Amino acid sequence: MEILIRNKVIQAIETLYGQGIDENQVQVQTTRKEFNGDKTVVVFPLLRISKKSAEQTAEELGNYLVETIEVIASYNIVKGFLNLVFHNRYWVNLLNKAISDPNYGFKPVTKDSEVVMIEYSSPNTNKPLHLGHIRNNLLGFSISEIMKANGNKVVKTNIVNDRGIHICKSMLAWKKLGNGETPQSSGKKGDHLVGEYYVKFDQLYKKEITALIATGLTEELAKEQAPIINEAREMLRLWEANDPATRELWSMMNTWVYAGFDETYKTLGVDFDKIYYESNTYTVGRDEVLRGVKEGIFEQMDDTSVWANLEGDGLDRKILLRSDGTSVYMTQDIGTAKIRYADFPIDHMIYVVGNEQNYHFQVLSLLLDKLGYKWGKDLYHFSYGMVELPQGRMKSREGTVVDADDLVVGMVEVARKVSEELGKLDNYSDQEKQHIYEMVALGALKYFILKVDPKKTMLFNPEESIDFNGNTGPFIQYTYARIQSVLRKAADAGITIPTEVPAVEISEKEASLIKALTEFPEAVQEAGEKHSPALVANYVYELVKEFNQFYHDVTIMNEPDEEVRKFRLLLAQTIGKTIKNGFSLLGINVPERM
RNA sequence: GGUCUGGUAGCUCAGCUGGAUAGAGCAACAGAUUUCUAAUCUGUAGGUCAUGGGUUCGAAUCCCAUCCGGAUCACCA
């Protein structure tokens, strides 16, 4: 529609003033709520051409547009703004489209759709998931749904960092202090158990460092020479050399961790189509790097370490293989990328990884490009901001980490309390109630995180952050539940809701609700283009706020006019559907009652 | 120090491809329920859009400088 208006304005300028203009000189925008109209043409930029006053130009333009565009009923002018008012039937047509399409706003995925692979989550197997991972998982899942809704084939993938010195630290501490403790014997969740030993390692390590410093060593040397860190390094060497005992311990502890992760993923409602493990990909990366050396892309030093020189690209030198021949993070990502492109016909690759890795992905992109992968330079790093606590960053060493599982449990508890106070679910079974508490708690958490622009650092205050009133997930879920309640009442009364808008007078409130509704497809598209679930969240919030006003001001079931009543039911039903679809893009479920 | 990134109400955030009087929620205060779920709705109050300059008919938005914060620049991942 905007395009049509823009083209007509260009035509009008030509006809009226005999001058051609560039299309980006014509500004068409949605009319602000406080003014009367649907679309607005900004006439200021055109004054130079018309050589007339703003009012006069707008008037001439307005007349032209009313005559040439059928759906425009009238216009009004405020200062230099030409507000165009559409016929109601324009909105009714759009609403009918929204009604008839169960996947309104979503583009279909066909066999010709592009394949988008999205990597997210990517945990280390030495400690449990925390709040930062939650943001990653929620963003990753949501952007996957959004890409799907924009007509892409999506492959969700997870690369598990299951090898490296950090894993050896947990293993070593467990070996020294564990006394054979297992998740079964202790009743602890596997990832938490392993995480505890990671912390224990760090405590031992610190003690040794302190002791060494007391003997006169510098801190740097002490860190280097502490016996326990050397033991861990030795363990890594044994691991890479396929030492059976080390491998067995490693795979046992990893199994514990995976069981724990799976539980957390299930709670969060995220999943993956394909999981990669770095223990399987890092050797491929090493081979690629060595190929690079052979082809003169990288340089090998006298101590056999391999480096990429990126000074020509404005970056630094980057190590790719250590002098002992082992891989670094970058090497692994090269290997993983190669395997993935062999496994899937990927058109676009999206990495959901925190913004602390911006440099890493800049380098990765360049390296892949240098190695001859044509997709290297257009990989997309979905870079999101950190989650901070009121005290600042989360630090596991200082115990300020917010554990993912604990957080969810706490929120379900709050949801239960709120719900019990309200007492609306009193005659439901415990199982049904629990189901709703979990839905609401997760709705609150997910919405809280996803409504913020992903690029921005966000603040999370465990005491105050998660609310159930106002601009929150539960607020939106509540509205959905309310709509369903009305629809149930209608069904009980034997009313059949029509499948097309009946011929009724549409009030202003209803019209603005319809307008809000019809912006959904645009919101979905923009969220895809800008990689931002926040745009969906904010859209749904606006829609719901609009509906709640309508709901408050206008009666649905008690409306005397049968056709109007049916129209409102139909409208409410369609809003409900859109809330549900919109929230599905955020991975948030909506309850039938709450 | 180099590079990247941010600074909008007491707090958490929208708005940023330049447009009309800078918006929400929370917190504060005042109201609304004989009527479809009050986890709702209405209102009051709260702003030097970090600061200074520039471009423009018009700047929170674009450009430059300064101040303040964060990330990153590892033979950690």
Side-chain angles (χ1 to χ4, degrees), chain A residues 81 219 231 283 336 341 371:
Chain A
F81 298 91
E219 189 181 344
E231 264 186 273
T283 49
T336 310
Y341 277 86
L371 282 167

Side-chain angles (χ1 to χ4, degrees), chain A residues 246-375:
Chain A
T246 308
R247 284 280 176 156
E248 199 181 321
L249 176 61
W250 171 76
S251 89
M252 177 177 74
M253 289 180 74
N254 272 346
T255 308
W256 298 346
V257 172
Y258 297 149
F261 283 173
D262 284 346
E263 225 176 281
T264 307
Y265 286 146
K266 204 175 156 198
T267 307
L268 290 178
V270 304
D271 56 14
F272 306 95
D273 303 305
K274 173 78 182 174
I275 297 180
Y276 291 95
Y277 298 90
E278 283 196 349
S279 55
N280 295 329
T281 65
Y282 78 103
T283 49
V284 176
R286 187 157 59 196
D287 293 345
E288 278 301 287
V289 170
L290 291 174
R291 175 172 73 83
V293 172
K294 220 175 278 171
E295 293 175 9
I297 301 167
F298 307 134
E299 22 183 305
Q300 190 151 31
M301 310 309 287
D302 292 340
D303 63 1
T304 72
S305 63
V306 176
W307 296 76
N309 189 343
L310 300 173
E311 281 160 359
D313 301 282
L315 303 174
D316 287 327
R317 277 157 45 91
K318 181 83 195 168
I319 191 155
L320 297 176
L321 285 178
R322 297 193 189 96
S323 50
D324 62 4
T326 53
S327 316
V328 295
Y329 183 32
M330 188 62 73
T331 328
Q332 293 165 167
D333 262 356
I334 291 170
T336 310
K338 184 182 179 184
I339 295 174
R340 280 177 179 155
Y341 277 86
D343 288 350
F344 296 93
I346 300 170
D347 294 299
H348 297 287
M349 181 74 215
I350 298 177
Y351 292 88
V352 182
V353 182
N355 62 14
E356 54 194 353
Q357 308 280 357
N358 284 355
Y359 184 70
H360 174 85
F361 281 97
Q362 215 181 327
V363 172
L364 178 64
S365 173
L366 272 174
L367 293 182
L368 288 173
D369 191 48
K370 282 180 191 297
L371 282 167
Y373 297 109
K374 65 177 191 313
W375 33 264

Side-chain angles (χ1 to χ4, degrees), chain A residues 327-437:
Chain A
S327 316
V328 295
Y329 183 32
M330 188 62 73
T331 328
Q332 293 165 167
D333 262 356
I334 291 170
T336 310
K338 184 182 179 184
I339 295 174
R340 280 177 179 155
Y341 277 86
D343 288 350
F344 296 93
I346 300 170
D347 294 299
H348 297 287
M349 181 74 215
I350 298 177
Y351 292 88
V352 182
V353 182
N355 62 14
E356 54 194 353
Q357 308 280 357
N358 284 355
Y359 184 70
H360 174 85
F361 281 97
Q362 215 181 327
V363 172
L364 178 64
S365 173
L366 272 174
L367 293 182
L368 288 173
D369 191 48
K370 282 180 191 297
L371 282 167
Y373 297 109
K374 65 177 191 313
W375 33 264
K377 56 182 177 304
D378 48 46
L379 64 83
Y380 182 76
H381 176 202
F382 183 141
S383 163
Y384 63 89
M386 299 289 102
V387 183
E388 285 186 355
L389 301 174
Q391 318 75 323
R393 274 188 98 180
M394 284 188 284
K395 299 219 172 83
S396 43
R397 274 174 263 120
E398 289 165 26
T400 54
V401 173
V402 176
D403 178 79
D405 300 312
D406 294 348
L407 180 60
V408 173
V409 168
M411 298 222 33
V412 173
E413 190 48 33
V414 177
R416 186 184 62 78
K417 270 193 197 134
V418 173
S419 178
E420 277 176 358
E421 268 168 34
L422 294 168
K424 290 177 184 172
L425 299 173
D426 286 348
N427 40 13
Y428 293 96
S429 75
D430 286 349
Q431 202 189 345
E432 282 172 310
K433 281 194 242 180
Q434 183 63 23
H435 182 63
I436 291 170
Y437 301 155

Side-chain angles (χ1 to χ4, degrees), chain A residues 526-594:
Chain A
E526 205 185 342
E529 285 164 2
K530 294 192 174 165
H531 300 97
S532 177
L535 296 176
V536 175
N538 290 331
Y539 166 79
V540 177
Y541 175 62
E542 291 300 325
L543 178 68
V544 162
K545 226 171 31 158
E546 194 76 40
F547 179 81
N548 276 336
Q549 283 167 20
F550 165 79
Y551 182 88
H552 190 262
D553 294 353
V554 170
T555 178
I556 297 174
M557 286 302 287
N558 294 325
E559 165 60 42
D561 185 310
E562 196 187 323
E563 289 303 302
V564 172
R565 185 168 62 217
K566 283 186 172 176
F567 165 65
R568 289 181 185 161
L569 281 167
L570 180 59
L571 186 56
Q573 187 183 47
T574 313
I575 302 274
K577 181 180 78 177
T578 307
I579 293 172
K580 188 175 188 170
N581 287 346
F583 255 31
S584 78
L585 297 180
L586 304 178
I588 303 177
N589 294 317
V590 285
E592 295 302 302
R593 53 197 107 211
M594 68 184 266

Side-chain angles (χ1 to χ4, degrees), chain A residues 4 9 12 47 81 172 208 240 340 363-364 446 457 464 494 534:
Chain A
L4 173 68
V9 170
L47 301 184
F81 298 91
L172 189 59
E208 291 188 359
E240 291 214 2
R340 280 177 179 155
V363 172
L364 178 64
K446 291 181 179 185
T457 304
E464 303 169 7

